Amino acid sequence: GEDVEQSLFLSVREGDSSVINCTYTDSSSTYLYWYKQEPGAGLQLLTYIFSNMDMKQDQRLTVLLNKKDKHLSLRIADTQTGDSAIYFCAVTSLNNGGSQGNLIFGKGTKLSVKP
Amino acid sequence: EAGVTQFPSHSVIEKGQTVTLRCDPISGHDNLYWYRRVMGKEIKFLLHFVKESKQDESGMPNNRFLAERTGGTYSTLKVQPAELEDSGVYFCASSQLRGTGLAEQYFGPGTRLTVT
């Protein structure tokens, strides 16, 4: 089945850029996501990219997709202490009925931002 | 607009007891999903409703788990009888069936279940 891998920890200094990487195995994945989980909170949808796109930018967030290598990354510019959280990569595909299927998650990358 | 809500936020029960978790999706979202995260593991899919019908229940671990979505609105997930390995955080998510919001799956805050 589908497998999604991400490194478990990343530590950066405030003001630097953070890059969180993710690899997946199923080339038929249609949508690729980044979710953020702050301590004690649920999963917040940060951004997602459709498989026919290479890049998506949303304010400080840049998502890059390399379909050939099945590699997804999330870049956070000017990282702030408030960005400290666990970031989950997830992928899905449309099911036979054309609606969104279930998400396959990585284990999450814990981002620590030092002042 | 209210997000996905879950109740209770935390439940502590003894092995062998029954627990029912509830999820209220975002209004108008026909897709409803249950996931869970067992300590140290990935968030895993349990099942998917489209309106009141079970679209995919391939992730349900065993027959001690029963999910319902009568009327196609809120959903319940019952665990009976609970075992120690059922401890974890149970997430509910919802999304639109079609349209521009098709890709956006929104999660609730989760229910932390502890079985002692």
Side-chain angles (χ1 to χ4, degrees), chain A residues 101-103, chain B residues 31-36 44-50 52-61 65-69 75-78 91-93 105:
Chain A
N102 58 283
L103 297 176
Chain B
N31 282 318
L32 187 149
Y33 309 81
W34 284 99
Y35 297 83
R36 76 171 177 179
K44 292 285 194 183
F45 165 74
L46 295 178
L47 89 159
H48 171 200
F49 283 100
V50 177
E52 67 275 10
S53 300
K54 292 176 184 174
Q55 173 80 12
D56 180 358
E57 51 183 330
S58 61
M60 294 288 261
F65 289 74
L66 175 64
E68 294 181 323
R69 193 184 182 194
S75 174
T76 58
L77 179 65
K78 180 191 288 188
F91 292 102
C92 175
Q105 198 168 129

Side-chain angles (χ1 to χ4, degrees), chain B residues 17-99:
Chain B
Q17 289 186 321
T18 298
V19 63
T20 300
L21 313 181
R22 173 171 169 144
C23 168
D24 286 77
I26 292 172
S27 177
H29 281 192
D30 289 329
N31 282 318
L32 187 149
Y33 309 81
W34 284 99
Y35 297 83
R36 76 171 177 179
R37 188 182 192 198
V38 173
M39 183 68 71
K41 300 287 185 73
E42 296 92 341
I43 300 168
K44 292 285 194 183
F45 165 74
L46 295 178
L47 89 159
H48 171 200
F49 283 100
V50 177
K51 298 183 181 179
E52 67 275 10
S53 300
K54 292 176 184 174
Q55 173 80 12
D56 180 358
E57 51 183 330
S58 61
M60 294 288 261
N62 52 60
N63 59 9
R64 293 186 295 102
F65 289 74
L66 175 64
E68 294 181 323
R69 193 184 182 194
T70 307
T73 54
Y74 70 91
S75 174
T76 58
L77 179 65
K78 180 191 288 188
V79 185
Q80 179 182 28
E83 298 288 344
L84 297 178
E85 63 264 25
D86 300 332
S87 296
V89 181
Y90 289 76
F91 292 102
C92 175
S94 72
S95 69
Q96 293 179 3
L97 192 57
R98 54 184 60 86

Side-chain angles (χ1 to χ4, degrees), chain A residues 35-36 40 64 66 108:
Chain A
Y35 282 86
K36 175 184 180 182
L64 294 178
N66 182 328

Side-chain angles (χ1 to χ4, degrees), chain A residues 60-92:
Chain A
R60 292 192 297 122
L61 305 179
T62 302
V63 178
L64 294 178
L65 174 61
N66 182 328
K67 280 197 73 175
K68 175 177 172 290
D69 294 337
K70 297 177 193 166
H71 182 267
L72 182 74
S73 68
L74 173 69
R75 178 177 181 270
I76 305 173
D78 187 25
T79 312
Q80 303 298 307
T81 54
D83 294 324
S84 293
I86 300 175
Y87 290 80
F88 291 93
C89 172
V91 303
T92 191

